[in-house]
Amino acid sequence: MLIEIKNIYKIYNEGKESEVRALDGVTLSIDRGEFVAIIGASGSGKSTLMNILGCLDVPTYGDYILNGTDVTDRTDRQLAHIRNKEIGFIFQGYNLIPALTAYENVELPLIYQGISVFQRKERVMAALERVGMADRFGHRPSEMSGGQQQRVAIARAIATHPPIIMADEPTGALDSKTGKHVLEILHSLHEGGSTIILITHDNGIAATAHRIVRISDGHIVADGTREEVGF
Ligand SMILES: Nc1ncnc2c1ncn2[C@@H]1O[C@H](COP(=O)(O)OP(=O)(O)OP(=O)(O)O)[C@@H](O)[C@H]1O
Ligand SMILES: [Mg+2]
């Protein structure tokens, strides 16, 4: 199993009147090569779950085994290393660095990995090619459309060849045609062997996943194929 979380809780302000159980005992396993959509209402805990799966945040309680390694009690530094190696992230707001060009944004995670300048150039251009953005390598985010910025963000996510891609509402800020293009890129990465975890509000997008996990009030309330989950 690539991802295994057991009885995960994320509790804010525990024991106080303002306590929020963003995740309230979540157990979930994801195999290598799956394409999983996570759906649920606003505030149901989707981003909290992704942040924990992506080692961007740690649970209040519970265990997490990622790719055979127990990552539950790691330091921030160790988690940063695990993220850089295992996971490519795509966010609704792209999260590109405004002062850097498309090329430099995609290059950044490769610099963190200590990859040589020469190899970096190959990897950056290959990743930009993959999303059809090679001709815009010198553009800064402000000089690109939303869809183009998201494609550069995808190039950044895949440049390190991570086994897992996590996307939190990657099409949320895009028109439906551009969103469809981004979804096609995710499906082609999946066909290339990547494990995809995709958070979406959009049932049409979720319906293209092979497995759908529905979350409500911090609980998983359905998990299965489109037919099994019921839409
Ligand atoms: N830092 C925090 N402090 C307190 N409560 C928080 C914090 N972060 C998130 N929450 C709460 O945890 C719950 C889950 O939030 P989360 O962001 O995971 O929802 P979501 O399903 O991603 O929603 P959306 O679809 O709107 O993005 C919400 O009730 C939210 O208010
Ligand atoms: Mg969210």
Side-chain angles (χ1 to χ4, degrees):
M1 211 45 85
L2 183 58
I3 283 175
E4 266 187 291
I5 58 170
K6 285 187 204 137
N7 243 334
I8 291 279
Y9 291 80
K10 183 71 185 183
I11 307 173
Y12 294 105
N13 308 327
E14 193 175 14
K16 299 197 186 120
E17 216 176 302
S18 54
E19 178 176 294
V20 176
R21 293 182 165 235
L23 294 176
D24 199 12
V26 171
T27 298
L28 178 69
S29 300
I30 297 173
D31 230 335
R32 195 174 289 280
E34 285 198 84
F35 191 125
V36 184
I38 297 176
I39 61 171
S42 178
S44 58
K46 304 181 296 297
S47 295
T48 307
L49 178 60
M50 190 184 104
N51 289 343
I52 288 172
L53 292 176
C55 297
L56 290 162
D57 198 0
V58 290
T60 313
Y61 306 110
D63 298 314
Y64 185 7
I65 314 279
L66 172 60
N67 211 354
T69 307
D70 189 334
V71 297
T72 314
D73 293 312
R74 297 296 163 130
T75 63
D76 286 354
R77 219 188 123 97
Q78 288 170 326
L79 288 176
H81 182 74
I82 293 165
R83 282 199 299 275
N84 186 250
K85 194 163 134 263
E86 305 283 351
I87 306 160
F89 292 97
I90 305 164
F91 299 97
Q92 177 171 3
Y94 327 127
N95 293 19
L96 296 173
I97 296 177
L100 300 184
T101 62
Y103 185 99
E104 291 163 342
N105 268 285
V106 177
E107 188 182 29
L108 213 52
L110 298 169
I111 295 176
Y112 291 141
Q113 285 196 343
I115 291 171
S116 71
V117 185
F118 179 72
Q119 266 207 319
R120 288 206 301 264
K121 188 165 182 208
E122 259 186 25
R123 294 261 207 114
V124 171
M125 290 316 293
L128 286 170
E129 288 294 342
R130 181 91 202 247
V131 298
M133 287 298 291
D135 58 335
R136 301 298 172 103
F137 71 90
H139 287 231
R140 293 203 163 71
S142 62
E143 299 160 346
M144 292 182 280
S145 71
Q148 290 172 337
Q149 289 180 65
Q150 193 58 302
R151 279 145 68 197
V152 171
I154 295 174
R156 178 183 57 186
I158 64 176
T160 54
H161 304 158
I164 309 167
I165 307 281
M166 293 189 188
D168 191 348
E169 297 279 2
T171 62
L174 304 175
D175 64 69
S176 63
K177 184 162 166 262
T178 315
K180 213 172 145 209
H181 185 203
V182 164
L183 185 64
E184 279 164 12
I185 296 172
L186 290 176
H187 276 285
S188 97
L189 292 169
H190 176 243
E191 274 150 33
S194 301
T195 304
I196 312 283
I197 301 173
L198 166 66
I199 292 179
T200 181
H201 268 109
D202 184 324
N203 281 358
I205 287 175
T208 70
H210 305 88
R211 176 178 172 194
I212 298 167
V213 173
R214 189 195 296 276
I215 163 163
S216 173
D217 283 333
H219 300 275
I220 290 178
V221 292
D223 181 354
T225 62
R226 184 179 162 186
E227 290 75 26
E228 284 164 352
V229 170
F231 66 87

